[in-house]
Amino acid sequence: MDRVPILKVGDVLLVSIQTDLQDRTALALQEDLAERIVRTGARGVVIDITAVEIVDSFIGRMFAGIAAMSRLLDARTVVVGMRPAVAITLVELGLSLGGVQTALDLETGLRLLGADSLEEGPRRCGTADDRRARDPDRLQ
Amino acid sequence: MTDVHEIRIDSSDDIVQIRKVVRTVAGDIRMSLVDQTKLVTAASELARNIVGYGGGGTVRIERLTGPSGVPGVRMVFEDSGPGIPDVELALTDGWSSGQGLGLGLPGARRLVDEFDLQTAAGRGTRVTVTKWTR
């Protein structure tokens, strides 16, 4: 079974869905994310669905589930990059994605999560050790 | 031109394959991207119903030409499961006999142009949907 890779950028976990998800892959992603949030102390999760061509009620429910689960683990979830055709279809389907925050693109999504450690990126130019030393602060 | 695909639906793994075929057929007749997305989503919901409630079944996907020469896609989802005891209820938003959100049937109906549901207790269910290009 394929697994969706989860990247860590600052204190945010980034998931970019690149294929039409099998149900089992979607469920595995939910579990992997819960585990990674706890392990890394991430404050936010960004799910990029720019490449996703359809969202049916199962996949929509998975997003809502990830958002609810991450809230319980003290992280916020933003779904970014929804295609116009997907948005139109979701409305007609009657799926509200209740509780899931959305943003037009990755940049806006990261800003919504207050991931300012990323915006400060260019100013952080110390050695790798300096950055590691700063990391624990950022995660608090 | 006839172009018919028959696909078995036994588990949720088959749903991705169905979405792919429907997307191809709809793309071939130059259906708009929004309408393609609606049709593929409807197919996904109806296939899910067969996995969840129908105990497996089949879908027949074909392209056809309407009375005024407009091309379209017809999909026939068939199972020999328990059938739907109360069709009106099953077509109500938010009502579900299982773990779903209760959007499958009413949602799929809104996403297509024509929707027909035949069901018989203990003998199964057949849902026929059609979407035309515009």
Side-chain angles (χ1 to χ4, degrees), chain A residues 20-24 53-59 61 85-86 88-89 92-95, chain B residues 12-13 16 19 23 33-34 37-38 40-41 44-45 48 99-101 103 107 110-111:
Chain A
D20 195 0
L21 286 185
Q22 298 269 8
D23 289 6
R24 285 182 298 160
E53 292 180 334
I54 83 136
V55 174
D56 67 359
S57 58
F58 179 86
I59 299 168
R61 193 164 43 147
V86 170
I88 292 168
T89 301
E92 210 143 309
L93 187 62
L95 197 68
Chain B
S12 63
D13 291 350
V16 168
R19 293 203 285 246
R23 170 82 64 187
L33 191 57
V34 170
T37 305
K38 289 181 182 179
V40 175
T41 307
S44 195
E45 297 293 337
R48 237 175 244 301
Q99 299 187 332
L101 292 171
L103 288 172
R110 279 192 292 271
L111 294 172

Side-chain angles (χ1 to χ4, degrees), chain B residues 97-116:
Chain B
S97 63
Q99 299 187 332
L101 292 171
L103 288 172
L105 282 177
R109 178 159 72 163
R110 279 192 292 271
L111 294 172
V112 296
D113 295 322
E114 291 163 28
F115 182 97
D116 177 71

